[in-house]
Amino acid sequence: MVVVGTWNLENLYRPGGEFGPGSEEAYRAKLAAMATTINDIAPDALGVQEVGQPEALGDLVKELGGEWHTVLSGHPDTRGIRVGVISRVPVTAQTDVTAFTAPLAAVQTADTGPLTGQTSRGMLAARIEPSPGVTLDLVVVHLKSKLLSFPGGRFQPRDEGERARFGAYALYRRAAEATTLRGMADRLMDGQGQRRPVVVVGDFNDEPQAATTQIVLGPPGSELGTPGAFRPDRGDASRLWNLYSMLPEGEGFSRVHHGRGELIDHIMVSRALLDKVDEMRSVVGHGLPSVTEDPGARKDAADSDHAPLYARLRL
């Protein structure tokens, strides 16, 4: 059994600065709470998002105990956060992607300034070897947020026209990033998804039926819960399956925004793994806070505003 998961760690910084906790005590409480959750899951590999400082992730790994392998994207966003993987098993290869998949054009991200052809954060692919001769490709992403920010560091728009424009800019970029992620999956499966075990995890910043999330799945049809889910067809060579429908009742969310539960974190697998999924869970039992648009409002929180998700795979 191999346990693979994903968790947005919410501004994992050491104390001080704009987003780090205000005290060493608050920081240590956050590390302890997160370590307890991770050790309860006991993942073999965990994709992580919002790593503000590599040193902070190192502190968390020390809190976990045991031997861990850590890889991080070298491409943080403007806030300094990035994605990574912590793994109990060796990481044998990795790829860090930032450029939009060609020939996708650059997109507008603000009222003024240049267009961008880069993802907001690097997308990381890591190959792990759970046992001799058995490999698994794990892709970790954090797509562009739909929690909007505005010029001058504002979290509220001047008017509804500005809100609409910046909502569109965020959607442009998230769609381009989803397309780029789809390109990564295509390269890893190489038309052999029935034989190549690939897992895509991360914070997609949108729910299962959103257009950007659907882009990543590839060929339509055969969704879980339909009669064709396990019936072989030509799409199996490149399709991904979102495991959200396997979540137990009461666990169909990973964040609470303005009092409403949202499932914006996802685990997707290639056909080679689809009938090897033993369990899918969202760890919402410890309670999630209701968040707003201000990413700095929870500096001293002793946990994350996201629930971790994990899947048990029989390899």
Side-chain angles (χ1 to χ4, degrees), residues 33-297:
M34 287 184 164
T36 297
T37 299
I38 294 171
N39 282 330
D40 285 348
I41 296 170
D44 294 285
L46 181 70
V48 292
Q49 303 87 46
E50 289 204 19
V51 177
Q53 295 168 308
E55 298 84 0
L57 184 62
D59 293 340
L60 176 59
V61 168
K62 286 180 184 177
E63 192 79 16
L64 295 174
E67 182 180 355
W68 292 83
H69 306 267
T70 302
V71 292
L72 282 169
S73 168
H75 302 282
D77 68 6
T78 55
R79 189 150 54 94
I81 58 173
R82 70 195 79 201
V83 305
V85 174
I86 60 173
S87 173
R88 293 183 186 272
V89 296
V91 178
T92 60
Q94 65 186 84
T95 305
D96 196 359
V97 171
T98 59
F100 290 170
T101 295
L104 199 64
V107 298
Q108 184 177 1
T109 60
D111 287 344
T112 60
L115 306 181
T116 185
Q118 302 288 314
T119 59
S120 48
R121 294 165 276 264
M123 299 179 178
L124 185 67
R127 179 166 292 172
I128 62 173
E129 190 171 342
S131 60
V134 177
T135 61
L136 184 149
D137 286 310
L138 179 67
V139 183
V140 186
V141 301
H142 186 184
L143 301 188
K144 171 64 180 169
S145 178
K146 60 179 179 178
L147 297 180
L148 305 180
S149 58
F150 303 91
R154 291 178 288 117
F155 296 108
Q156 294 297 326
R158 291 194 176 94
D159 54 45
E160 290 310 301
E162 186 179 53
R163 186 196 303 275
R165 291 195 308 277
F166 277 81
Y169 301 151
L171 184 56
Y172 299 161
R173 194 167 194 176
R174 192 162 62 255
E177 291 176 353
T179 304
T180 300
L181 174 56
R182 181 62 234 179
M184 289 182 71
D186 286 342
R187 290 190 292 275
L188 289 170
M189 287 186 280
D190 192 27
Q192 302 177 66
Q194 305 97 322
R195 293 180 291 280
R196 294 194 174 184
V198 175
V199 182
V200 175
V201 306
D203 180 352
F204 283 55
N205 267 306
D206 226 331
E207 298 189 76
Q209 299 305 321
T212 52
T213 308
Q214 292 286 305
I215 284 172
V216 182
L217 299 179
S222 298
E223 290 87 357
L224 286 170
T226 69
F230 294 92
R231 185 182 303 149
D233 66 35
R234 289 183 297 178
D236 291 353
S238 53
R239 185 180 289 127
L240 291 170
W241 279 261
N242 193 333
L243 302 183
Y244 78 94
S245 64
M246 299 180 68
L247 289 168
E249 184 176 356
E251 294 185 12
F253 63 100
S254 60
R255 186 184 73 167
V256 179
H257 180 229
H258 287 298
R260 186 178 76 87
E262 301 178 317
L263 185 61
I264 63 173
D265 301 271
H266 301 285
I267 298 178
M268 302 177 180
V269 300
S270 64
R271 184 62 183 86
L273 296 172
L274 183 60
D275 54 4
K276 294 178 172 60
V277 181
D278 190 65
E279 183 182 34
M280 173 70 175
R281 300 295 302 271
S282 177
V283 188
V284 296
H286 66 292
L288 286 176
S290 181
V291 300
T292 65
E293 283 71 20
D294 184 354

